[in-house]
Short mmCIF file of all heavy atoms in Angstrom, two decimals:
data_model
loop_
_atom_site.label_atom_id
_atom_site.label_comp_id
_atom_site.label_asym_id
_atom_site.label_seq_id
_atom_site.Cartn_x
_atom_site.Cartn_y
_atom_site.Cartn_z
N ALA Y 237 -22.95 91.28 -60.74
CA ALA Y 237 -23.45 92.24 -61.72
C ALA Y 237 -24.92 92.61 -61.48
O ALA Y 237 -25.32 93.75 -61.71
CB ALA Y 237 -23.31 91.68 -63.13
N ASP Y 238 -25.73 91.66 -60.99
CA ASP Y 238 -27.16 91.94 -60.82
C ASP Y 238 -27.64 91.77 -59.38
O ASP Y 238 -28.82 91.54 -59.13
CB ASP Y 238 -27.99 91.07 -61.77
CG ASP Y 238 -27.90 89.59 -61.46
OD1 ASP Y 238 -27.02 89.20 -60.67
OD2 ASP Y 238 -28.73 88.82 -61.98
N CYS Y 239 -26.73 91.87 -58.41
CA CYS Y 239 -27.11 91.80 -56.99
C CYS Y 239 -26.09 92.57 -56.17
O CYS Y 239 -25.10 93.06 -56.70
CB CYS Y 239 -27.23 90.34 -56.53
SG CYS Y 239 -25.68 89.41 -56.46
N SER Y 240 -26.31 92.62 -54.86
CA SER Y 240 -25.40 93.40 -54.01
C SER Y 240 -24.13 92.63 -53.64
O SER Y 240 -23.20 93.22 -53.09
CB SER Y 240 -26.12 93.86 -52.74
OG SER Y 240 -26.65 92.76 -52.04
N GLY Y 241 -24.07 91.36 -53.92
CA GLY Y 241 -22.87 90.56 -53.65
C GLY Y 241 -23.20 89.09 -53.53
O GLY Y 241 -24.36 88.71 -53.32
N ILE Y 242 -22.20 88.25 -53.68
CA ILE Y 242 -22.39 86.80 -53.59
C ILE Y 242 -21.61 86.30 -52.38
O ILE Y 242 -20.37 86.30 -52.39
CB ILE Y 242 -21.90 86.08 -54.87
CG1 ILE Y 242 -22.53 86.68 -56.11
CG2 ILE Y 242 -22.21 84.58 -54.77
CD1 ILE Y 242 -21.87 86.22 -57.41
N GLN Y 243 -22.34 85.91 -51.32
CA GLN Y 243 -21.69 85.28 -50.18
C GLN Y 243 -21.16 83.93 -50.67
O GLN Y 243 -21.95 83.08 -51.08
CB GLN Y 243 -22.69 85.02 -49.05
CG GLN Y 243 -23.15 86.22 -48.31
CD GLN Y 243 -24.09 85.79 -47.18
OE1 GLN Y 243 -23.89 84.76 -46.53
NE2 GLN Y 243 -25.12 86.59 -46.96
N THR Y 244 -19.87 83.74 -50.61
CA THR Y 244 -19.27 82.53 -51.17
C THR Y 244 -18.39 81.85 -50.14
O THR Y 244 -17.55 82.49 -49.51
CB THR Y 244 -18.43 82.88 -52.42
OG1 THR Y 244 -19.25 83.60 -53.35
CG2 THR Y 244 -17.88 81.62 -53.08
N GLU Y 245 -18.62 80.55 -50.00
CA GLU Y 245 -17.77 79.74 -49.14
C GLU Y 245 -17.25 78.58 -49.98
O GLU Y 245 -18.02 77.89 -50.64
CB GLU Y 245 -18.53 79.20 -47.94
CG GLU Y 245 -17.65 78.36 -47.03
CD GLU Y 245 -18.38 77.83 -45.81
OE1 GLU Y 245 -19.61 77.97 -45.71
OE2 GLU Y 245 -17.69 77.25 -44.95
N ILE Y 246 -15.94 78.38 -49.96
CA ILE Y 246 -15.31 77.27 -50.67
C ILE Y 246 -14.52 76.46 -49.65
O ILE Y 246 -13.76 77.00 -48.86
CB ILE Y 246 -14.37 77.75 -51.80
CG1 ILE Y 246 -15.18 78.51 -52.86
CG2 ILE Y 246 -13.62 76.57 -52.42
CD1 ILE Y 246 -14.35 79.08 -53.99
N THR Y 247 -14.73 75.15 -49.68
CA THR Y 247 -14.00 74.24 -48.82
C THR Y 247 -13.16 73.33 -49.69
O THR Y 247 -13.68 72.71 -50.63
CB THR Y 247 -14.97 73.38 -47.96
OG1 THR Y 247 -15.77 74.27 -47.18
CG2 THR Y 247 -14.22 72.43 -47.06
N LEU Y 248 -11.87 73.26 -49.41
CA LEU Y 248 -10.94 72.38 -50.11
C LEU Y 248 -10.44 71.34 -49.12
O LEU Y 248 -9.84 71.70 -48.10
CB LEU Y 248 -9.75 73.16 -50.67
CG LEU Y 248 -10.06 74.31 -51.63
CD1 LEU Y 248 -8.78 75.06 -51.98
CD2 LEU Y 248 -10.74 73.81 -52.87
N THR Y 249 -10.67 70.06 -49.39
CA THR Y 249 -10.24 69.01 -48.47
C THR Y 249 -8.91 68.42 -48.92
O THR Y 249 -8.55 68.48 -50.09
CB THR Y 249 -11.30 67.90 -48.35
OG1 THR Y 249 -11.46 67.27 -49.62
CG2 THR Y 249 -12.63 68.44 -47.87
N SER Y 250 -8.23 67.79 -47.97
CA SER Y 250 -6.92 67.20 -48.26
C SER Y 250 -7.02 65.99 -49.17
O SER Y 250 -6.02 65.56 -49.74
CB SER Y 250 -6.21 66.82 -46.96
OG SER Y 250 -6.98 65.87 -46.23
N ASP Y 251 -8.22 65.43 -49.35
CA ASP Y 251 -8.38 64.32 -50.29
C ASP Y 251 -8.87 64.83 -51.66
O ASP Y 251 -9.48 64.11 -52.42
CB ASP Y 251 -9.29 63.22 -49.73
CG ASP Y 251 -10.71 63.68 -49.47
OD1 ASP Y 251 -10.97 64.91 -49.48
OD2 ASP Y 251 -11.57 62.82 -49.26
#
Side-chain angles (χ1 to χ4, degrees):
D238 65 347
C239 68
S240 57
I242 307 168
Q243 287 183 38
T244 306
E245 181 179 8
I246 297 178
T247 301
L248 303 174
T249 63
S250 60
D251 63 346

